[in-house]
Amino acid sequence: MGDTKQLIQELSAKAAPVKIVRPERYAAFLLVLLSVYALCAQCWLEGLRPDLIMQLTRPLFIVELLLLAAMLTSASVASVYAMLPDGAQRKTLMCLPYVFSGGMLALLVFQLFLPQDARMVTSDATSHTHECTMYIALSSILPTALIFGLLRKGASVMPMQAGLLAVIAAVSVGAITLRLAEANDEITHLLTWHYLPSLFFACLGAVSGRFLVRW
């Protein structure tokens, strides 16, 4: 009996302490970093579009910005919870980024069938094309690397979903800063050069997560 107790004490002394992952702290930390990064990106884009005040009188423009902000926030938080094997059983939270992303796509498709608002800027519809896609791609590299670094600290059993959520959050930063800076509201432009490429990047994130988020 004494040998058993001694063995238990020896094993307990040698056992490495278990590091407790607190997703709410990681989520708050990540949101602060992404907010600071977004401000820096906005300054790099030379600030806000000159007609922003007028555009904020368009309800659909406001809804678009709110959906982008919701995608950024929900995907950031959900990606952190994806660090845990069971996602902390936050099924609703894990689904929110997809709901907001679907809402964004529905909003843009809906606007294709609406009469053009006179306040929308479309005269420069061809001035920026692939440059917008390049900006979103390049601006998402650092946030993606940051989130993947956090994910590797956990024990995710959903690596593809974690990678997908990470890139949704990252591309949302580029998308929202670009919308606030670029004076171009042409819906076909937004679909072709902003949001469809972002969807493609998110799919690449899912594939990358399969290989990078392993433990």
Side-chain angles (χ1 to χ4, degrees), residues 42 48-69 117-121 176 179-183 185:
Q42 201 71 63
L48 305 172
R49 55 189 293 176
D51 64 337
L52 181 60
I53 299 299
M54 182 181 68
Q55 294 304 321
L56 290 175
T57 64
R58 289 200 299 119
L60 292 179
F61 181 77
I62 295 176
V63 172
E64 183 181 350
L65 293 181
L66 289 176
L67 284 172
L68 283 172
D117 192 318
R119 293 166 293 183
M120 295 173 65
V121 178
I176 195 170
R179 282 300 278 135
L180 291 172
E182 183 189 27
D185 303 302

Side-chain angles (χ1 to χ4, degrees), residues 68 71 101 104 108 132-140 144 163-176 178-179 189-206:
L68 283 172
M71 288 169 58
S101 299
M104 173 64 72
L108 293 171
C132 295
T133 302
M134 288 294 295
Y135 167 76
I136 292 175
L138 293 176
S139 65
S140 67
T144 299
L164 177 64
L165 292 169
V167 178
I168 289 176
V171 297
S172 295
V173 175
I176 195 170
L178 189 57
R179 282 300 278 135
H189 168 82
L190 297 176
L191 276 170
T192 304
W193 302 107
H194 288 222
Y195 296 119
L196 290 181
S198 296
L199 177 61
F200 173 72
F201 298 146
C203 293
L204 288 181

